[in-house]
Amino acid sequence: MIKKLDDIFNELKSCDKKAVLSVAAAHDEEVLLAVKDACEMDIIKAILIGEEDKIRKIASEINFNLDNVEVIDESDLKLCAEKAVKLVSSGKADYVMKGLLDTSIILKEVLNKEYGLRTDSLLSHVMIYEVPSYHKLLILTDGGMNIDPDVSQKKKIADNAIKAAKSLGINTVKVACLAAKEKVNPKMQATLDADELKSMCKDGMFGKGVVVEGPIAFDLAVSEEACKIKGYESEVGGDADILLVPTIETGNGIGKALTYMANAKSAGIIMGAKAPVVLVSRADTHESKLYSIAYGAIATK
């Protein structure tokens, strides 16, 4: 079981077959720096789609040797995204990364019915955090895409996160469906949804090796001490692998608090398509971009 983000690097280095990443609109220094490090660490292979002159100029400036990296010249951003996605759908690449283009452009191509990567699932954002005060990696979903999901959407969001968790070698995935309290309250939709998701798990709808608890407050999900003080007993209490949030605001707030107040390292990918999608922000640290590339690679396994 992988308990540190750096351990993902070690796991990928030991793989005989490296995951191939296609990068849409790769003519961006920050993106190329992260891809460069991932290639030089021998954890992935890359195909770069974008303005070739700019890609090669940036590569020269950052000492990125492109001798063994395929570069596809394309200046149109939509076509960059289309070609990057088609590389995955055709099997030439294993997953895709957004470069210097809007998120909406890449996701439109991912969801294209003719050549895209859409499935019956729902696209959702999966963030993984290494928090100094927590004893293992913590997955948070969905604080980036789905605004106010209903219970059926939460089921799909949980499924995506569970798949991402199992790629880390977690045998029993513990999912905490967050709410403000542990008792079901008809006036609090989050508690009703959490209780229904828990029932779904008992009925086997999440498959083997999964425990879903809810409703459960944040403190009880991550603190064994809080569970002891409050007399709360649950297999998930104090040992959650996944925090399933009720709304995007909750996930956004928790995630940023972990980053800016708890000094957490992080990685983020989009799940729910046929392959992971790596979306990085310019506000992300270089380290976070590299971890996101690595997490996307291991999620393809």
Side-chain angles (χ1 to χ4, degrees):
M1 175 178 167
I2 294 173
K3 291 190 175 183
K4 300 284 187 181
L5 286 172
D6 282 344
D7 292 342
I8 297 177
F9 297 149
N10 297 328
E11 185 73 19
L12 292 171
K13 288 175 183 178
S14 68
C15 295
D16 293 332
K17 185 178 182 299
K18 307 302 178 185
V20 179
L21 173 66
S22 66
V23 185
H27 43 277
D28 177 81
E29 182 174 347
E30 289 297 320
V31 169
L32 285 178
L33 278 168
V35 174
K36 169 183 181 286
D37 283 354
C39 289
E40 291 180 350
M41 292 173 70
D42 195 30
I43 60 174
I44 67 159
K45 294 184 181 298
I47 301 174
L48 308 177
I49 305 96
E51 297 182 40
E52 184 169 4
D53 289 346
K54 290 184 179 180
I55 289 172
R56 294 195 179 280
K57 181 175 184 296
I58 295 169
S60 176
E61 292 170 351
I62 63 175
N63 296 315
F64 184 6
N65 187 338
L66 298 179
D67 288 349
N68 297 313
V69 177
E70 182 178 355
V71 179
I72 298 174
D73 186 30
E74 181 57 65
S75 58
D76 183 275
L77 295 181
K78 180 193 177 299
L79 290 177
C80 283
E82 178 182 321
K83 290 180 179 181
V85 168
K86 282 183 174 178
L87 286 170
V88 179
S89 60
S90 67
K92 190 172 181 181
D94 297 296
Y95 67 126
V96 64
M97 179 178 184
K98 179 183 86 78
L100 193 62
L101 76 174
D102 290 342
T103 298
S104 60
I105 296 176
I106 187 74
L107 291 185
K108 185 176 181 180
E109 299 307 313
V110 168
L111 294 172
N112 185 287
K113 292 181 180 179
E114 294 182 14
Y115 52 77
L117 308 173
R118 70 185 306 152
T119 66
D120 292 334
S121 188
L122 177 75
L123 293 186
S124 59
H125 197 240
V126 178
M127 284 294 295
I128 184 169
Y129 292 90
E130 182 181 315
V131 189
S133 58
Y134 200 58
H135 58 285
K136 58 182 176 180
L137 294 174
L138 187 63
I139 291 173
L140 178 71
T141 193
D142 177 356
M145 290 196 70
N146 295 284
I147 297 171
D148 187 19
D150 60 26
V151 69
S152 63
Q153 292 172 319
K154 288 176 181 177
K155 166 66 168 60
K156 293 179 178 181
I157 290 168
D159 283 335
N160 290 341
I162 290 164
K163 182 178 179 181
K166 287 188 173 180
S167 71
L168 300 173
I170 302 172
N171 294 323
T172 301
V173 181
K174 300 176 181 180
V175 183
C177 301
L178 297 187
K181 58 189 299 182
E182 289 67 58
K183 293 182 179 180
V184 176
N185 185 330
K187 295 182 180 180
M188 301 175 70
Q189 189 62 45
T191 67
L192 295 171
D193 291 351
D195 187 57
E196 188 171 345
L197 291 165
K198 181 178 179 179
S199 295
M200 288 181 188
C201 185
K202 289 181 178 179
D203 291 339
M205 294 177 66
F206 286 101
K208 296 181 179 179
V210 178
V211 180
V212 175
E213 183 61 81
I216 180 172
F218 179 87
D219 58 339
L220 299 180
V222 300
S223 171
E224 186 177 348
E225 184 65 21
C227 291
K228 289 178 180 178
I229 292 171
K230 295 184 178 182
Y232 183 81
E233 295 183 4
S234 166
E235 189 176 351
V236 176
D239 195 40
D241 295 297
I242 296 172
L243 301 180
L244 179 68
V245 299
T247 65
I248 195 171
E249 290 89 357
T250 306
N252 183 276
I254 292 174
K256 288 181 178 175
L258 292 176
T259 298
Y260 291 100
M261 303 297 288
N263 297 315
K265 299 177 181 179
S266 64
I269 55 176
I270 288 177
M271 296 289 289
K274 293 178 182 177
V277 179
V278 180
L279 293 181
V280 294
S281 166
R282 285 190 172 271
D284 292 338
T285 64
H286 172 73
E287 180 183 59
S288 182
K289 291 182 175 72
L290 180 58
Y291 283 138
S292 295
I293 290 172
Y295 192 34
I298 204 164
T300 68
K301 305 299 181 184

